[in-house]
């Protein structure tokens, strides 16, 4: 029987989390950007960018595809690794929820392969990529609940502000009420 990881909600700065893995809501270039991506690259320092450049020079020459994940060093972060994943841009004409769920599943798969016990996630795609927070929270929690998490015993959703925290808390309560 597989044990599901405990889901914990934290209001704060993901770059300050002392976990085995911090998940980066990256862009496909892997070379840094705004929001969570920029913050992780700034705090992680040059080692994170150097590792991403190595990935781009190799297997990911065209960038990391949406919904996939890859790990690098965490540089100066308290974490051991950064798992980079590229979330989808929200669309009202096309259902991309499967790609968003894949970001969480693939990140957990990579974390488990690394032997990680704790993983910190941001609210992937809910910033500049425009995903509605309530739908993003529902998809994130369901994907984590349904994923084979291996060694991962705790998944921490780190939400930057109170409205995001409240939205995730509501989605988590609804998920627990349905007995998923």
């Amino acid at each position: 029987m597989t044990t599901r990881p405990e889901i914990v909600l934290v209001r704060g700065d993901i770059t300050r989390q002392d976990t085995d893995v911090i998940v980066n809501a990256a862009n496909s270039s892997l070379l840094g950007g705004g929001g969570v991506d920029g913050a992780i690259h700034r705090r992680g320092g040059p080692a994170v960018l150097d590792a991403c450049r190595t990935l781009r020079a190799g297997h990911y020459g065209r960038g990391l595809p949406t919904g996939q994940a890859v790990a690098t060093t965490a540089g100066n972060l308290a974490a051991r690794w950064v798992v980079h994943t590229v979330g989808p841009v929200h669309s009202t004409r096309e259902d991309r929820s499967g790609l968003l769920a894949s970001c969480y599943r693939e990140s957990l798969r990579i974390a488990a392969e690394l032997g990680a016990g704790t993983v910190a996630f941001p609210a992937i795609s809910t910033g500049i990529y425009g995903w509605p927070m309530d739908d993003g929270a529902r998809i994130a929690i369901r994907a984590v609940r349904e994923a084979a998490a291996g060694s991962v015993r705790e998944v921490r959703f780190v939400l930057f502000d109170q409205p995001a925290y409240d939205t995730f808390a509501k989605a988590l309560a609804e998920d627990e009420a349905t007995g998923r």
Side-chain angles (χ1 to χ4, degrees), residues 119-142:
V119 177
F121 277 104
I124 298 168
S125 288
T126 60
I128 193 72
Y129 285 7
W131 209 282
M133 187 64 72
D134 58 341
D135 194 43
R138 181 187 55 77
I139 291 167
I141 289 166
R142 182 175 301 152

Side-chain angles (χ1 to χ4, degrees), residues 20-108:
D20 294 324
V21 167
I22 290 176
V23 176
N24 181 18
N27 63 51
S28 64
S29 79
L30 297 174
L31 301 178
V36 169
D37 192 19
I40 286 172
H41 275 270
R42 281 189 301 278
R43 188 164 312 268
V48 176
L49 182 57
D50 289 347
C52 287
R53 284 185 175 139
T54 299
L55 290 170
R56 285 300 306 269
H59 185 72
Y60 297 101
R62 294 185 172 193
L64 183 64
T66 302
Q68 293 189 18
V70 65
T72 66
T73 180
N76 298 328
L77 294 163
R80 295 174 62 193
W81 301 283
V82 173
V83 172
H84 306 267
T85 189
V86 180
V89 174
H90 184 259
S91 171
T92 57
R93 294 181 297 235
E94 179 184 354
D95 181 8
R96 298 178 180 168
S97 57
L99 286 170
L100 183 55
S102 180
C103 291
Y104 292 98
R105 284 192 310 269
E106 287 299 301
S107 295
L108 284 174

